[in-house]
Amino acid sequence: MTEGWLERRCLKVLQNEDTPLYLFALAAEEVDLIASVARIGRDEAGKLIGYQRPEKKKHVKQIQDYLDSADVLFPNGLILALPPEVRFKSSRGPTTSDGLVVAGTLEIPLSQGEDGPRPAWIVDGQQRSLALSRTKNRRLPVPIAGFVADNLEIQREQFLRVNTVQPLPVNLVTELLPDITRVPSGRMPTRKLPSALVDMLNRDPLSPFAGIIKRASTTDEAKKAAIVTDTGLVEALKESLESPSGVLFPYRNIATGTTDTEGIRDVLITYWTAVRNTFSDAWGLPPTKSRLMGGVGIRAMGRLMERVMAHVDVNSPSAIEDAERELGIIAANCFWTKGVWPELGLPWDELQNTPRHISALSNYLARAYVANRAAMK
């Protein structure tokens, strides 16, 4: 180690010229010296920062106990995002490369002062890194794979890619997706737009969902008010956006790849404001006290939106009142906080966020709406 730099023998893997990949080893105590964990959160402006989930203390303790034992074999390495300032010097001689890797030395800059920012970020292995920082076996060699990326988007993309074997929490993935251009799975792009819309609903002061949606970045203090799980709302919006009969489908231009997000915003705020006003006694309560705010209620009311908003002009000054009038048609048929759902034969608090109950409740509400509306004519 030279002053201001950490030197390690290294193999440079010839995968991508634009994003160098290095394989090397660090002592357990050095991991904590050069790498930090980018916890997911929001800054004061509401912009998404970081990407890592919270620490799992029990898991970390189990790893630490093993690291502190005798005869440790720890092949589970870490993946680090390295700063562009790293320097690689290839070794001399004709045998330093076999066409796949180049042998050499990697120099990593160290932070300036004890309180200075660490140069690298942990993309995969945050629980292991925490255990390594606490183990008594301070000089245990740890295998490292490092790629150069000062771009947070690249780090998030790789974070999602390397966590496909043991899936990440769905809400963490959906919150990260809007900030990633190249998503690592063919199924993930379909959740990018719905996730961005959920973020809008949570932050827009005119939205009835403002501040009450629970996301991966929600702080412990904000969780007291966050009662709606984002995954159910994401799925509800995804259905409406993808189905040709969905009320949100016309706002997407498949040919040009453009989306009228302002038009979608108007539809969503109009409809869900009307839902809040129509069922004011059930809105804003935790799902244990109101099934309207649980996944089953959000999904079922999301499907009812297709029928209700077909009769509402969102550009009308009376759009919210018109939507309230439509929802009033089925208000007496709903039992979000007490009573028994007719036809379903289920007490209100026995409705669960399962495909069977979501489907049953959705069909019941649709039938009741159509029948009651026809009876009014």
Side-chain angles (χ1 to χ4, degrees), residues 281-298:
D281 59 330
W283 190 268
L285 301 176
T288 53
K289 295 183 178 180
S290 170
R291 287 301 193 257
L292 174 61
M293 309 308 290
V296 62
I298 294 295

Side-chain angles (χ1 to χ4, degrees), residues 63 66-67 72-78 128 132 140-143:
I63 300 173
Y66 172 70
L67 294 174
V72 174
L73 177 63
F74 195 68
N76 307 82
L78 307 178
R128 297 191 293 277
L132 287 165
L140 176 71
V142 181

